Amino acid sequence: MVLPEGFSHWEHLQDMLRRDHNRLVSRYFKDLGDEWEPEINSPRGAIRVAATMNDNDTAVMTLLRLYYFYEVLGYGRKRLGIFYGIPAKDFQENWESRPQVFLYFSQDKRSVPDGLTPVTAEISFRIADETSATMNPTKAEALARKIASEFIESRRGIYFNKGSEIITYYDKKNCISLQIYTISEREGEEVIRKILNIRGIPFDADKLGESKKVKRRSQNIPQGTETVYGKERKKKRWRPTARVQFRHAYMIVDNLEPPVHLVDTTGHYWDAFVRF
């Protein structure tokens, strides 16, 4: 069947793109309700107006709305699969079906030396008394609020100093196996106590440990270069010391994709139970 007379490829592409894009935008802003009317008096409303495509948009405006939604708001990154080096389902089958919570920290960008990337930290623990069958949204929201109570102060994520020392805490009964990279046992213990508070588990000093101290010192700004894949490249940092801040928390539940977002301070995860 031939295309209709006067068919415009641009108009057709714009119509299809607007239809599918605005459907995703509507889902992203579902908290505003099905009967939402365009308005810019609220932060979420103003963002939705900027991301929504209109029939009279130029090609440049269409591209800018796409860029704003997928890159600036982070919708494109949110839809990326969690990668373990093997398919997620294969990875999860090798572990007990206990939900696993991840706490993500990162260094403030303004404190990162030129040419380097922010230092990050991720701490995880499992919920031993729950399974993929027993975990549900109500329990996940309660968990999110416990995390926020421990890792949020004055509506901002708390800081800790990441370093080269490894402070450990092993509690097999409660499925707790923690390794905290920090600058001192005191700071490591503070983070561990917060995680135990979330789980409602009393702290046991006998379960606290410290890995064998290494003589090698942290390298924040390494000097010199090395040959990598046929080219001279700057040497990488080794267990750099940096002040990192709590950014968000998410939970992986066996046979459920994508992850369940619990707490967010970045503005990237609109569906997190607790947002700041």
Side-chain angles (χ1 to χ4, degrees):
M1 183 177 180
V2 297
L3 295 174
E5 185 177 351
F7 176 80
S8 168
H9 284 278
W10 163 241
E11 291 294 336
H12 175 69
L13 172 60
Q14 186 185 37
D15 288 344
M16 300 298 288
L17 187 60
R18 184 174 66 251
R19 181 197 69 182
D20 294 332
H21 172 80
N22 285 349
R23 183 184 299 143
L24 295 177
V25 170
S26 178
R27 184 187 305 166
Y28 186 87
F29 290 96
K30 65 181 181 181
D31 58 302
L32 299 182
D34 296 332
E35 304 301 325
W36 179 79
E37 293 291 334
E39 55 83 18
I40 58 173
N41 295 320
S42 66
R44 294 278 289 168
I47 294 171
R48 181 169 180 173
V49 168
T52 301
M53 289 186 183
N54 299 301
D55 182 50
N56 60 353
D57 284 350
T58 64
V60 172
M61 287 184 68
T62 298
L63 290 173
L64 286 174
R65 293 192 200 279
L66 286 171
Y67 179 80
Y68 180 61
F69 184 61
Y70 281 91
E71 293 298 325
V72 178
L73 297 182
Y75 187 86
R77 293 188 295 276
K78 181 182 184 303
R79 294 300 161 186
L80 292 177
I82 300 299
F83 182 71
Y84 299 99
I86 59 176
K89 290 182 179 178
D90 292 344
F91 175 86
Q92 291 168 348
E93 286 172 359
N94 292 328
W95 295 83
E96 293 181 276
S97 59
R98 308 293 175 179
Q100 187 170 15
V101 175
F102 291 81
L103 309 174
Y104 180 80
F105 302 75
S106 66
Q107 183 182 11
D108 289 335
K109 290 184 178 180
R110 60 181 178 271
S111 64
V112 180
D114 291 341
L116 298 176
T117 57
V119 174
T120 62
E122 191 168 61
I123 303 169
S124 71
F125 58 92
R126 291 185 179 269
I127 310 298
D129 51 355
E130 299 288 352
T131 67
S132 56
T134 62
M135 178 57 70
N136 58 46
T138 300
K139 293 179 179 179
E141 181 174 2
L143 175 63
R145 297 195 181 281
K146 288 180 181 178
I147 293 172
S149 69
E150 293 293 334
F151 286 93
I152 299 292
E153 293 179 357
S154 301
R155 301 186 63 80
R156 293 175 59 85
I158 67 163
Y159 289 90
F160 83 90
N161 292 299
K162 183 178 180 180
S164 60
E165 291 191 30
I166 304 176
I167 308 304
T168 63
Y169 191 90
Y170 294 114
D171 182 348
K172 185 176 181 180
K173 176 183 176 182
N174 291 299
C175 212
I176 297 291
S177 178
L178 300 173
Q179 288 188 332
I180 313 297
Y181 286 75
T182 185
I183 61 171
S184 69
E185 180 178 326
R186 180 186 59 81
E187 286 218 32
E189 181 179 325
E190 287 180 359
V191 174
I192 289 167
R193 283 181 178 274
K194 288 180 175 294
I195 293 172
L196 295 178
N197 288 341
I198 293 168
R199 293 283 288 105
I201 299 171
F203 176 78
D204 183 349
D206 291 337
K207 294 180 171 60
L208 186 69
E210 183 176 9
S211 66
K212 185 178 179 180
K213 288 194 175 184
V214 293
K215 295 181 179 180
R216 185 179 178 183
R217 300 179 62 184
S218 295
Q219 291 182 327
N220 289 333
I221 306 179
Q223 303 297 315
T225 61
E226 59 184 354
T227 303
V228 179
Y229 201 58
K231 289 186 178 181
E232 286 296 310
R233 304 177 189 272
K234 291 182 179 179
K235 290 184 177 180
K236 65 180 182 180
R237 292 187 285 179
W238 186 83
R239 294 188 185 179
T241 299
R243 193 166 177 253
V244 295
Q245 184 180 25
F246 173 74
R247 304 295 183 183
H248 65 89
Y250 63 96
M251 176 173 62
I252 291 178
V253 180
D254 187 33
N255 201 30
L256 178 67
E257 296 180 23
V260 177
H261 295 287
L262 301 171
V263 182
D264 179 46
T265 69
T266 68
H268 287 164
Y269 305 102
W270 62 268
D271 54 350
F273 287 106
V274 181
R275 302 192 301 270
F276 295 93

